[in-house]
Structures are given as structure tokens and as C-alpha cells.
Amino acid sequence: MKTLDVAGGTAAYQRVGQGEPLLLLHGFPFTSECFWPLLEAPPKGLELIVPDLPGFGRSTPLPGPALTMEAIAGWALSLLDGLGLERCHVGGVSMGGYAALALTRLDPSRVLSLTLLGSHPFTDDAVGVARRHATAEEAEREGTAGIVARMLQVVLSEKAQPLVRTRLEAVMRQASAQVVAQASRGMAARVDQREVLARFYGPVLLVTGALDPLVPPDRAGQVAQLPSKAVARVLPDVGHLPQLEAADEVRRLLETLPQGGVQTT
Ligand code: MLT
């Protein structure tokens, strides 16, 4: 794990592989470790830059009650500045995908391609927003154990290998109550980002799992119909985290990015 001073705090990040840089943003409530199959065997032609987002893992939290997607995006751009990277491929899983979209909205000129894994550009409905605030309050009142147990049921499909489940649970248990509350409020405040996808000029790769209860196939289908150059894959027998349940397929798809665009074969 490397570190850099960003936004008055420490940004911890992993940097592996060789080739064009791909910034990968993790989901909630994980760390950079949730990309472990890709970190252990990076896609050919790509150098992965995978931070612990602010307040997660070894990175310093940002102040305030909510960790908004725009705040993550601004922080990630500062990290890229610190690394001297003017442009790179950008991707994220789930919450990381929301933040990748926010980064693209803030400064599309820095984004070579956009990859969303188990993610989408839509906002939450009123019930979803209320659930996020309830999660934030639960974290502050009771800690994260109940939240982690419930999320573990949702983010992996029943087909996930037991070892994946055990390892992911260990990652989730590291999340502090503070960052769980901040990120829940930040996700509740998301804006609709369909326009970002529609307008983005570069290649877009969308990968979802057919068994993902958080991005169900009808929603993935709506994303695929957006007027962009998106290549969309719905992977059978896979849940919310394709990089863990279908790592080889995700790696293969990512390997199509550096050649100037996402290819479909
Ligand atoms: C995630 O995996 O980042 C979260 O499940 C995202 C969400 O709750 O929308």
C-alpha cells in the first residue's frame, strides 16, 4: 500500500500492473481490497490505481456528515494530480461507479474510458433515501455489525465461493461507523447521472450480474439503452460484485480498454 497527501489527509492506494492507468473506485462498505482478483492478476495493458476511498481502509476521512459522490470524485482527481496523471481510464464498482460518474461529470477531459461494475446512474427513490438515512443512524447508534451482516446477504449471490464470502466479510468489518454513516448519507444525496453517460465521448463498459438485487436486469437494460457507446454485459450466475464472482470475465473485458475502445468479442 502506498500513500500520498491529498486534501489535507492521507490517501492510501495500491498501484499494480503495467500499461495505461485505470483508476478503480471501490464500493460500500469495502476498501481497495474488494478488487483483490484484479490486484493479484492485473489485466494486461493496464496499470491499476486503486485507492481506499476517504475514511475507508487506510485513507483519512473527509470532514462532514456526508461523503458525497462529488467529494469522492474531487478527492480522486486530487489523487490523480498528486500522481501526475492528466488522463486515465476510470471505473468503479457500485458506489465507486456512482463516484466514477461524478468524476466524469466534474472533468470528462481526464477520463479515457468509463467502466461501471454493478453500478448505474439512477438516484434512489424516496424509500431508498429513507433506508440510507436509517443505515447512517444505525451505524452511529449501534455500530456496523448488523449492517455488515445484512449487506453480506445482498452483495454476493448464493453462487459465490465460501472463500470469497469470508474474505469480503473481513474487508467489510474494517469499515468504521463514521464512514458507513457518511457514505450512506452521501449515496442518499446522489443526483441522476444518466446525462453523464449519454454525453461521454469515450468508451463505456457496463458489467452487471444477472443475480444482482441492487441493479436488477430491467435497470441494467435501461442503462444499456442510453445513447452512448456503451458495451453492456449482464453476466449469468453473478451477483452485485462481478470482479469477485466473475473475475476472469471482468479482467478480459478490461483488457479491451487500452486498445482504443471496448470491443464486443
Ligand atoms: C455498494 O456496493 O457500493 C453499495 O451496495 C451501493 C448501494 O448501496 O447502492
Side-chain angles (χ1 to χ4, degrees):
M1 191 68 93
K2 301 177 192 311
T3 59
L4 198 72
D5 289 346
V6 170
T10 299
Y13 64 98
Q14 309 201 46
R15 194 169 186 174
V16 298
Q18 285 188 334
E20 294 184 13
L22 166 61
L23 175 73
L24 273 180
L25 306 178
H26 66 75
F28 168 88
F30 312 127
T31 67
S32 55
E33 273 306 303
C34 82
F35 289 107
W36 73 77
L38 300 176
L39 290 164
E40 288 165 8
K44 289 189 190 64
L46 288 171
E47 180 184 37
L48 304 184
I49 295 158
V50 192
D52 288 345
L53 296 181
F56 291 94
R58 297 190 194 169
S59 290
T60 313
L62 294 177
L67 179 63
T68 63
M69 302 307 104
E70 291 72 23
I72 296 175
W75 179 93
L77 284 171
S78 299
L79 173 65
L80 294 179
D81 290 343
L83 295 172
L85 292 170
E86 182 53 35
R87 302 185 79 204
C88 66
H89 301 274
V90 175
V93 64
S94 196
M95 181 185 76
Y98 311 152
L101 282 163
L103 186 156
T104 306
R105 197 172 77 243
L106 278 181
D107 196 348
S109 71
R110 300 191 67 173
V111 182
L112 291 169
S113 71
L114 182 58
T115 296
L116 303 184
L117 306 173
S119 197
H120 61 81
F122 303 96
T123 51
D124 293 333
D125 61 16
V127 173
V129 169
R131 199 177 296 132
R132 303 256 189 223
H133 287 291
T135 299
E137 283 156 25
E138 177 183 338
E140 287 170 342
R141 203 177 50 239
E142 299 168 23
T144 65
I147 297 164
V148 166
R150 285 200 302 280
M151 284 213 63
L152 204 54
Q153 302 302 316
V154 175
V155 295
L156 292 175
S157 79
E158 62 195 18
K159 311 258 181 193
Q161 301 288 325
L163 275 178
V164 168
R165 195 170 293 278
T166 309
R167 190 162 171 183
L168 188 66
E169 183 174 3
V171 171
M172 292 165 84
R173 287 196 184 284
Q174 294 171 32
S176 70
Q178 180 196 2
V179 81
V180 166
Q182 282 181 313
S184 296
R185 294 194 180 102
M187 286 191 284
R190 294 196 323 281
V191 297
D192 191 303
Q193 306 202 90
R194 275 176 285 181
E195 270 302 296
V196 182
L197 268 187
R199 286 169 186 255
F200 181 62
Y201 53 83
V204 175
L205 172 62
L206 305 166
V207 185
T208 51
L211 304 180
D212 183 349
L214 297 173
V215 191
D218 60 329
R219 191 143 259 213
Q222 284 176 50
V223 175
Q225 284 163 22
L226 289 169
S228 72
K229 299 173 204 157
V231 168
R233 288 279 178 276
V234 181
L235 305 179
D237 293 336
V238 169
H240 183 53
L241 304 174
Q243 85 282 7
L244 294 183
E245 292 198 43
D248 291 344
E249 181 64 3
V250 169
R251 186 181 300 103
R252 191 187 71 74
L253 287 165
L254 290 173
E255 284 173 353
T256 68
L257 291 174
Q259 282 76 46
V262 178
Q263 278 135 45
T264 53
T265 53

